[in-house]
């Protein structure tokens, strides 16, 4: 029979199934998340810029040949505003584990919280991928059998498609040898039958491998779901912590999104590893408390009525004085008394109005400020948190802020933050992290602060500045320096607030240096209670 010629149409009918498979093979995708070109560009860009992502990819490649595709999927489901997954049927079998991983991630309870922080933010999405690195390594290890089975199924499917293509090639060759005749030469017909048989066997093998892969995947699903939940939880916590850290240091989301990737990565690393990183919560509490006090602050508070006085403030004239205006003959008397400042006014006791000049924080960084207090909070951390809240206070009012770090007479460093421009976060961190060490001297930092206010008064005619001295100690000042200090203080009309942190009672007692110098002195013994300085932020 094999030597007898056969009709071409009969051979074509026999091989029709594999011809169809060869002509239109189903599209198989290697990415589970549907993504447009801009999303892909975002992933390639962040991958090129992040050494940590490339290192994680290299580590995962030792366990899984398609690890970069998995990382891209994890990134995209965090980055896209509304991630959409492909149907399992269109996935390449070798990437079905990826599909299951991403499905489990998006369905985990913590994904919504994670997605709120990462959607549209390539850096945050990349950080979420890195935070899941450990979980992804474990997940790939536990799903090894499923990945091997799906890999075999993928290869078997490719072999079946190649065999189907071979059927088509055999038929084309048979058609050429028939050369327009209905009968096909026996050798060509035999070649078609052999190709069809090979295609049939390849198809059966692919079907068996698909079944084995499905069983392996079903067995792996519970472990993948559990690992994905843990990964999403870890990523959400990492993203929340970094966002809270940024907010604590006064870096808003808009500012970080505008930063180049490398700059933002360096900033995040500095915030996480800096000397004051563990005091971020304290700094955040101070900023929140100061913001709350700003909401309560009134520029011209009338306060409690305590009597009657004389003056020309028409907003406080007592009713009997106003009644005089009703008598035409006495209006001239009212005008004369107003001009002389002799109208009877309600006298009140309220909070002093806020200043207009610069806010200057003189922060003691002597050795003793490094000592730990309650809850492990150092005096330095407390003082820097207070100073950063004062920076916020000044910026909110459009006032310049100056941070003066001091210790011994020969150790002093000045940080200027003009009120008419943004405060670079790197400069803020430099101010917060600088620690001079040494002894304590008040004359040089206070003298420097007074000179800065004098320069401001001479150049911009702004008076009523505020100086805040934050220290844990007291030191002597000379009589001559005190005289000069009082003179310039009267001329510039500035105020000196004192914050004494865990100081001996003698340092703040009546007649002490601190008590004499400061217009308003408060002591802080509990380093965990930020509200001990609340009133400071109402009057500055």
């Amino acid at each position: 029979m094999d030597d007898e010629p056969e009709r071409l149409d009969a051979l074509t009918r026999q091989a029709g199934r594999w011809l169809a498979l060869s002509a239109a093979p189903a599209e198989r995708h290697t990415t589970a998340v549907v993504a447009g070109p801009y999303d892909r560009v975002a992933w390639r860009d962040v991958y090129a810029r992040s050494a940590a992502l490339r290192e994680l990819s290299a580590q995962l490649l030792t366990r899984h040949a398609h690890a970069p595709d998995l990382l891209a999927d994890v990134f995209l489901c965090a980055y896209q505003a509304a991630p959409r997954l492909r149907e399992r049927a269109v996935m390449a079998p070798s990437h079905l584990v990826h599909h299951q991983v991403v499905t489990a991630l998006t369905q985990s309870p913590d994904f919504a919280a994670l997605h709120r922080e990462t959607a549209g933010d390539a850096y945050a999405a990349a950080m979420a991928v890195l935070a899941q690195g450990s979980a992804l390594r474990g997940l790939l290890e536990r799903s090894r059998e499923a990945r091997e089975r799906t890999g075999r199924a993928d290869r078997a499917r490719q072999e079946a498609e190649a065999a189907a293509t071979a059927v088509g090639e055999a038929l084309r060759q048979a058609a050429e040898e028939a050369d327009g005749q209905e009968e096909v030469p026996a050798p060509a017909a035999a070649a078609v039958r052999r190709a069809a048989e090979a295609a049939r066997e390849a198809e059966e093998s692919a079907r068996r491998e698909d079944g084995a892969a499905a069983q392996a995947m079903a067995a792996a699903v519970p472990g993948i779901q559990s690992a994905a939940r843990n990964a999403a939880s870890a990523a959400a916590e990492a993203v929340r912590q970094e966002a809270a850290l940024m907010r604590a240091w006064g870096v808003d989301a808009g500012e970080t999104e505008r930063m180049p990737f490398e700059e933002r990565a360096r900033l995040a690393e500095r915030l996480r590893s800096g000397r004051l990183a563990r005091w971020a919560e304290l700094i955040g509490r101070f900023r929140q408390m100061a913001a709350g006090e700003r909401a309560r602050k009134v520029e011209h508070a009338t306060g409690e009525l305590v009597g009657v006085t004389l003056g020309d403030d028409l907003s406080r004239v007592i009713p009997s004085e106003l009644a005089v205006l009703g008598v035409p003959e006495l209006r001239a008397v009212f005008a004369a008394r107003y001009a002389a400042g002799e109208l009877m006014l309600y006298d009140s006791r309220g909070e002093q109005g806020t200043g207009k000049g610069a806010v200057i924080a003189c922060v003691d960084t002597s050795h003793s400020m490094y000592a730990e207090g309650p809850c492990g909070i150092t005096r330095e951390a407390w003082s820097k948190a207070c100073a950063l809240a004062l920076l916020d206070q000044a910026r909110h009012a459009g006032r310049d802020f100056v941070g003066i770090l001091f210790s011994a007479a020969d150790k002093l460093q000045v940080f200027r933050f003009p009120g008419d421009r943004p405060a670079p976060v790197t400069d803020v961190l430099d101010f917060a992290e600088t620690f001079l060490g040494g002894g304590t001297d008040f004359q040089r930092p206070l003298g420097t602060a007074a000179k800065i206010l004098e320069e401001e008064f001479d150049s911009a005619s702004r008076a009523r500045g505020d100086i805040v001295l934050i220290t844990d100690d007291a030191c002597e000042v000379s009589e001559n320096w005190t005289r000069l200090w009082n003179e310039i203080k009267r001329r510039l009309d500035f105020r000196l607030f004192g914050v004494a942190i865990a100081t001996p009672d003698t340092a703040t007692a009546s007649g002490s240096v601190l008590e004499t110098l400061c217009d308003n002195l408060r002591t802080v013994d509990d380093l965990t209670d930020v509200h001990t300085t609340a009133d400071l932020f109402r009057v500055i």
Side-chain angles (χ1 to χ4, degrees), residues 18 27 33 36 42 46 66 96 100 112 117 130 217 256 276 304 330 353 359 361 433 435 487 496 500 505 530:
W18 294 281
E27 184 180 7
V33 181
V46 77
H66 306 299
L96 284 174
Q100 185 61 52
E117 300 285 352
L130 293 172
M217 180 62 70
T256 55
L276 295 180
E304 176 188 0
L330 297 179
V359 176
E433 292 184 328
F435 190 82
E487 288 177 1
L496 175 62
D505 292 340
V530 300

Side-chain angles (χ1 to χ4, degrees), residues 417-460:
F417 300 93
D420 60 353
R421 70 194 70 165
V425 65
T426 52
D427 293 349
V428 174
L429 289 176
D430 288 340
F431 167 62
E433 292 184 328
T434 299
F435 190 82
L436 303 178
T440 305
D441 174 78
F442 288 166
Q443 293 185 180
R444 188 179 176 199
L446 291 178
T448 301
K451 185 176 180 181
I452 290 171
L453 292 178
E454 185 175 31
E455 292 171 352
E456 182 183 43
F457 179 78
D458 292 340
S459 62

Side-chain angles (χ1 to χ4, degrees), residues 189-203:
V192 171
R193 285 195 297 271
R194 286 194 300 271
E197 180 63 21
R200 183 186 63 77
E201 291 177 356
E203 177 67 14

Side-chain angles (χ1 to χ4, degrees), residues 123-181:
Y123 173 86
M127 190 182 72
V129 175
L130 293 172
Q132 297 174 79
S134 177
L136 291 175
R137 282 191 289 269
L139 187 150
L140 288 177
E141 192 63 36
R142 287 191 292 273
S143 64
R144 180 189 296 274
E145 182 178 354
R147 288 186 292 106
E148 290 177 351
R149 284 291 187 180
T150 54
R152 291 177 193 169
D154 199 18
R155 290 189 294 272
R157 181 58 54 192
Q158 292 172 6
E159 291 170 1
E161 291 172 358
T165 302
V167 172
E169 179 61 25
L171 281 171
R172 185 190 63 77
Q173 185 68 31
E176 289 180 356
E177 292 185 15
D179 194 21
Q181 303 296 320

Side-chain angles (χ1 to χ4, degrees), residues 28 44 71 91 114 149 154 171 178 251 267 271 274 281 330 340 357 377 384 386 400 413 416 424 451 488 535:
R28 300 289 179 170
R44 288 195 294 269
L71 293 184
M91 292 295 297
L114 171 66
R149 284 291 187 180
D154 199 18
L171 281 171
V251 185
L267 172 61
L271 290 179
E281 181 183 355
L330 297 179
I377 298 177
K384 296 289 181 61
C386 183
D400 292 350
Q413 195 162 345
R416 293 176 180 263
K451 185 176 180 181
I488 194 171
D535 62 321

Side-chain angles (χ1 to χ4, degrees), residues 64-100:
H64 183 28
H66 306 299
D69 293 333
L70 174 59
L71 293 184
D73 277 334
V74 174
F75 170 85
L76 290 170
C77 72
Y79 176 70
Q80 290 182 336
R84 183 165 59 90
L85 304 188
R86 303 185 193 279
E87 296 295 331
R88 285 177 53 86
V90 301
M91 292 295 297
S94 59
H95 288 66
L96 284 174
V97 169
H98 297 188
H99 190 281
Q100 185 61 52

